[in-house]
Amino acid sequence: MTTAQLVETSSKESVFGTQASQTMTSTVSHGVFGPSPPPPAVWPPLDFALGSIACCAACVFTNPLEVVKTRLQLQGELCARGSYQRHYRGVLQALWVVGRTDGLRGLQKGLSVGLIYQGLMNGVRLGSYSYCESLGITSFHGGSLLAGAVVGALGAFIASPAYLVKTHLQAQTVAAIAVGHQHNHLGVSDAFVTIYRREGLIGLWRGVNGAVPRVMVGSAAQLATFTSAKNWLSHFQWFSPNSWLTALVSAMISGVAVAITMTPFDVISTRLYNQPVDEFRRGRLYHGFADCMLKVCHSEGMLGLYKGMGPVFLRLAPHTVLSMLFWDLMRQQAVKDNHSQGRS
């Protein structure tokens, strides 16, 4: 072999070695456990709207389970097990009792204000998380958890008045099956006006100290597991690129994680929102998040924090699946439309 041929061969090996090294580095850096590249950005106002629409669509299907969950979490409030009458004994029985007593409309109590809550909270939460993705914040280890918690807290704070009214309306019913304090509002607008006149503007945010940790935990678990599951499924290429099945399976995994981590915070949040207030605008039953947790554990045991676990899972799992699936598919379509407009 001539000297020229040796030089040519070594240069080719160097080029191919460099390419292989770059390929391996890319594979390792964007693998299952490493940071993933940020997805194509969607116009922020559009992303906020898509997040709102996705979660409102899911809310229509899951609101009856939200009604049942609220009743089960308030049943036997601060009472020892076996010392109170149980109107609701499970998800299916509770759905039947509510439907028989309050009618089909009773199963959709609080739907209108629930849609307001979902639109505000999840529009802010999902839109802000998407913006964090485009900035590359979620590409760092732990970035998904941190971003999910922060945007969840922001969304929960902004939408807290709507959740307050929703809880009041879903809890109130006829005396025969009533649980918890009954506020007896005439409707959504009457509830907002009554709370404002009785407690002032700050009263509309009563219970927010329970809502913020609730949504922080749920949001961090939901968004982090959804993103990680999507990256994992995409890495192994079980489905075709951008397949709706990838989003569906990822959302199912996310729904399980949310239900397990969120239930105790959900019970505390419901109790803080629904408690009556005294003449000094202070809660009659609980002074705050920690006080509520201690009192529930002391009176009802640790299992008291998992009251309504069945409907919480049956509601959060499909709600997470539907909302995350709708959101992901609409964002993909928005990106495709942007690309097609750019080429044209």
Side-chain angles (χ1 to χ4, degrees):
M1 183 178 293
T2 64
T3 304
Q5 288 175 329
L6 283 171
V7 171
E8 183 180 359
T9 302
S10 62
S11 64
K12 286 182 179 180
E13 289 175 350
S14 176
V15 171
F16 291 137
T18 303
Q19 289 177 344
S21 176
Q22 289 175 348
T23 302
M24 290 181 65
T25 302
S26 176
T27 302
V28 172
S29 64
H30 299 301
V32 179
F33 301 104
S36 57
V42 180
W43 186 45
L46 176 60
D47 219 354
F48 276 65
L50 294 180
S52 298
I53 294 170
C55 293
C56 286
C59 179
V60 173
F61 295 99
T62 60
N63 191 65
L65 291 169
E66 181 76 6
V67 174
V68 169
K69 178 215 73 170
T70 300
R71 303 280 180 87
L72 284 168
Q73 289 177 342
L74 292 173
Q75 182 172 248
E77 187 171 14
L78 298 183
C79 295
R81 292 174 62 87
S83 64
Y84 56 88
Q85 183 179 2
R86 293 181 62 191
H87 300 297
Y88 310 102
R89 298 180 180 274
V91 180
L92 295 178
Q93 186 265 356
L95 287 170
W96 182 77
V97 169
V98 173
R100 182 194 63 182
T101 307
D102 294 335
L104 293 178
R105 292 183 63 183
L107 291 171
Q108 288 289 11
K109 277 190 174 182
L111 177 61
S112 58
V113 72
L115 293 174
I116 295 173
Y117 170 74
Q118 292 291 338
L120 283 175
M121 194 272 286
N122 287 300
V124 171
R125 187 175 68 92
L126 297 180
S128 299
Y129 185 81
S130 177
Y131 187 65
C132 290
E133 280 187 324
S134 65
L135 292 177
I137 295 174
T138 59
S139 64
F140 298 101
H141 290 288
S144 295
L145 281 172
L146 178 61
V150 172
V151 300
L154 179 63
F157 180 82
I158 292 174
S160 184
Y163 197 93
L164 172 68
V165 172
K166 180 183 74 70
T167 303
H168 287 189
L169 293 177
Q170 290 178 338
Q172 68 183 40
T173 182
V174 297
I177 59 171
V179 291
H181 182 72
Q182 300 291 292
H183 293 271
N184 298 319
H185 300 301
L186 300 178
V188 175
S189 57
D190 176 70
F192 278 111
V193 171
T194 301
I195 295 171
Y196 175 76
R197 287 177 177 174
R198 185 181 61 204
E199 305 175 48
L201 186 63
I202 296 178
L204 291 171
W205 269 267
R206 182 170 54 82
V208 72
N209 54 336
V212 168
R214 167 187 175 271
V215 179
M216 284 182 70
V217 171
S219 180
Q222 182 190 60
L223 294 173
T225 54
F226 180 76
T227 303
S228 298
K230 274 194 68 179
N231 292 337
W232 186 71
L233 292 171
S234 299
H235 174 79
F236 286 103
Q237 299 179 350
W238 287 354
F239 308 108
S240 59
N242 296 325
S243 171
W244 65 272
L245 288 172
T246 302
L248 177 62
V249 175
S250 302
M252 291 173 65
I253 296 172
S254 179
V256 174
V258 172
I260 293 173
T261 58
M262 198 174 178
T263 299
F265 297 90
D266 202 44
V267 171
I268 294 171
S269 180
T270 299
R271 300 284 182 89
L272 290 175
Y273 272 126
N274 195 67
Q275 70 171 330
V277 295
D278 58 21
E279 61 274 14
F280 300 106
R281 303 176 181 175
R282 295 176 301 192
R284 293 182 180 273
L285 301 178
Y286 314 105
H287 300 304
F289 184 89
D291 181 61
C292 180
M293 177 181 289
L294 291 173
K295 285 183 176 177
V296 170
C297 291
H298 181 264
S299 302
E300 306 169 49
M302 286 294 295
L303 292 178
L305 292 174
Y306 283 88
K307 278 187 174 179
M309 177 66 182
V312 166
F313 175 76
L314 292 177
R315 180 252 171 194
L316 282 176
H319 187 275
T320 300
V321 169
L322 291 171
S323 59
M324 299 305 288
L325 178 62
F326 293 157
W327 180 55
D328 194 68
L329 294 178
M330 287 190 293
R331 290 181 70 209
Q332 289 183 23
Q333 187 60 46
V335 171
K336 289 180 182 178
D337 292 342
N338 287 339
H339 287 173
S340 62
Q341 290 175 2
R343 287 195 298 267
S344 63

